[in-house]
Amino acid sequence: MNAERRVRARTDDDVEACVRVLEEVHRIDGYPVNWPARPGDWLSQPNRLGAWVAELDGRVAGHVGLSSSAEDDMAPGLWSERNGMSRELAAVVGRLFVAPCARGHGIGALLMARVTEEARHRGLHPVLDVVASDAAAAALYERLGWTRLATVERRWSSRTVTVHCYAAPA
């Protein structure tokens, strides 16, 4: 029997369920690298253009957000330089995670399709950063046709991490 999947706009009522899923993802996968003091606020990042949840059989199973480019985001600048476009024309995909129990159901691809559609609807080009150690996420982006722009070192709080920067297909 196939599980019922759907993606919809995240509401304030979803944040608590999203935090529970995020706690499990952090415990198993170490994402996010630095656990936020206020995870609900972290999910509602600054410069947010939108956020969506995926449901699997009626339960929150994943999350993704879209935001405008911030000064310290690497991928928008790399995309801008490569394409001769203003970095303001890039939108940053972030806060993407899928519940461990929901993996293998195409939830990540559904969320990526929805966030990419929203960016394009706004006339923006989606880009993202991913920690290099997250091989499963990088494999997803590459399966979806995203291009790795560069691999860079980033300072996040007290840690230096290696990050891959990606851009969606043209």
Side-chain angles (χ1 to χ4, degrees):
M1 175 168 97
N2 287 340
E4 183 183 334
R5 310 170 310 163
R6 76 177 187 136
V7 175
R8 61 174 175 75
R10 189 191 79 202
T11 68
D12 289 343
D13 292 341
D14 294 319
V15 173
E16 187 176 318
C18 289
V19 168
R20 281 195 303 274
V21 172
L22 184 63
E23 286 171 339
E24 185 179 7
V25 169
H26 180 72
R27 190 176 69 257
I28 292 170
D29 300 328
Y31 176 82
V33 172
N34 297 310
W35 182 255
R38 299 172 55 109
D41 292 346
W42 181 82
L43 288 172
S44 301
Q45 71 234 48
N47 309 321
R48 187 175 64 146
L49 300 172
W52 297 268
V53 293
E55 292 180 340
L56 185 63
D57 291 332
R59 300 184 65 181
V60 171
H63 178 277
V64 71
L66 185 69
S67 62
S68 52
S69 169
E71 191 62 38
D72 64 342
D73 288 325
M74 297 296 295
L78 292 165
W79 173 81
S80 169
E81 290 170 15
R82 182 173 285 195
N83 294 284
M85 309 284 274
S86 167
R87 73 179 279 131
E88 283 72 37
L89 292 175
V92 179
V93 175
R95 313 307 197 244
L96 173 65
F97 55 91
V98 174
C101 65
R103 293 175 185 167
H105 292 277
I107 298 292
L110 281 174
L111 287 164
M112 289 298 293
R114 178 64 190 94
V115 75
T116 299
E117 174 189 329
E118 179 65 22
R120 294 194 191 290
H121 174 75
R122 292 171 175 264
L124 302 171
H125 193 90
V127 298
L128 59 83
D129 295 342
V130 62
V131 177
S133 60
D134 193 346
L140 170 66
Y141 307 139
E142 290 173 12
R143 248 189 343 270
L144 297 175
W146 287 54
T147 301
R148 187 182 304 177
L149 301 170
T151 299
V152 299
E153 297 293 314
R154 293 287 315 267
R155 185 96 176 134
W156 286 345
S157 294
S158 61
R159 292 183 170 160
T160 299
V161 294
T162 303
V163 175
H164 298 311
C165 301
Y166 282 90

